[in-house]
Amino acid sequence: MYYVKLSVKVGSYYLYLLQQMFVMKRKHFLQMMTVFPVAYGLSSIGKWYDDAMDGPNTDLMPVLFLGHGSPMNGIEDNLYSRKWKELGTQLPKPRMVLVVSAHWLTRGTYVTAMEHPRTIYDFGGFPDALYQVKYPAPGSPALAKEVAEALTSVKTGMDHEWGLDHGTWTIVRHMYPNADIPVLQLSIDYSKDAAWHYQLAQDLQKLRSKGVLIIGSGNIVHNLGRINWGGPEEYGYDWAIQANDEMKKHVTERNFKAMLDYQNQGQHWQLSIPSPDHYYPLMYILGLSKPKEEVKIFNDKVAMGSITMTSFQFG
């Protein structure tokens, strides 16, 4: 009889805790737990709280690093654009797409916060058809505020001037051709190093459990000064192929230390990353990844000798 009464009391007690969990902040909830003789350790209770409030890891949106290459990929039907279309149909539909593009470099950190971001043609010398493309995806000041609030490590400015550059729209228009999902961009503070961007990305972790698809858009090997204009499309210089292969190995083995220390990996890396603008977006995706997440590699091709389209998906 005593056992039955005790079980009822314990059951009521856990019901009380469950009720309190949803009205308290995590820190206060765990402080309260220290005064009760619970059967689980605080670390387990903490994980229980996090899973209940944010959802288990299985509900996390994937994160993507996409090699975007030439702006012409925005209107061509090719290996790369077909894969982007495939991703749009296979991934869970996001409530927002947040892109870290190699083509928005700033001093300080900003997020686009306008209702209707413009389509930016940040390139020259291409066919007229490319300049006629409009990608009218909506923006969202409310979602921009949500991104800024997640970035607790820095003060994030609300930008009303930029829009969607070709590192974003040439990809996302293939993924979501109806332009019915809000698309925002997060700028790259070009005064900071790779480790800083990797750390900043970890502030965005919670957005993954809130239906946000985060994309880093760049190219891990990107040397415009060494482009092979007259050779076959998929010809690759030896140094570009070697660096690309080593980067893939480091990413799949989670040797992120080497990726952060890219400047000291040899001359082939220096040729592959003469400036880090197209490399930094990958730092965000590495920082957003979870330790045991599966990584997929796709679009693993060389373009024009000195650019690789190699792309990664975590989750």
Side-chain angles (χ1 to χ4, degrees), residues 193-210:
D193 63 11
W196 186 90
H197 292 290
Y198 174 81
Q199 291 294 331
L200 181 64
Q202 295 176 35
D203 284 355
L204 299 172
Q205 284 282 2
K206 283 190 176 295
L207 295 183
R208 293 188 61 188
S209 61
K210 296 180 179 180

Side-chain angles (χ1 to χ4, degrees), residues 1-19:
M1 182 64 67
Y2 176 79
Y3 176 79
V4 172
K5 289 181 179 179
L6 179 61
S7 297
V8 171
K9 289 181 179 179
V10 170
S12 299
Y13 158 72
Y14 277 108
L15 178 60
Y16 167 75
L17 291 181
L18 185 61
Q19 292 169 338

Side-chain angles (χ1 to χ4, degrees), residues 268-306:
H268 55 304
W269 281 55
Q270 293 175 21
L271 286 168
S272 299
I273 313 170
S275 61
D277 47 336
H278 279 67
Y279 184 74
Y280 278 168
L282 177 60
M283 300 302 99
Y284 284 82
I285 303 313
L286 300 184
L288 281 160
S289 68
K290 295 287 188 180
K292 295 184 179 180
E293 278 188 310
E294 177 187 8
V295 59
K296 299 175 183 176
I297 300 175
F298 54 94
N299 283 356
D300 188 19
K301 301 291 184 182
V302 182
M304 305 180 75
S306 60

Side-chain angles (χ1 to χ4, degrees), residues 39-85:
Y40 299 102
L42 285 181
S43 60
S44 297
I45 292 296
K47 182 180 185 304
W48 175 48
Y49 179 94
D50 290 339
D51 285 351
M53 299 305 286
D54 296 322
N57 287 348
T58 53
D59 293 332
L60 294 178
M61 288 293 293
V63 289
L64 303 171
F65 174 81
L66 300 178
H68 65 246
S70 168
M72 289 300 293
N73 292 322
I75 60 174
E76 291 180 346
D77 176 26
N78 57 33
L79 172 72
Y80 314 124
S81 63
R82 287 193 291 272
K83 181 59 181 182
W84 299 336
K85 290 177 182 178

Side-chain angles (χ1 to χ4, degrees), residues 220-221 239-248 300 308 310:
I220 60 175
V221 173
W239 52 264
I241 295 171
Q242 181 183 358
N244 193 70
D245 287 344
E246 290 176 5
M247 291 182 209
K248 288 187 297 180
D300 188 19
T308 61
T310 306

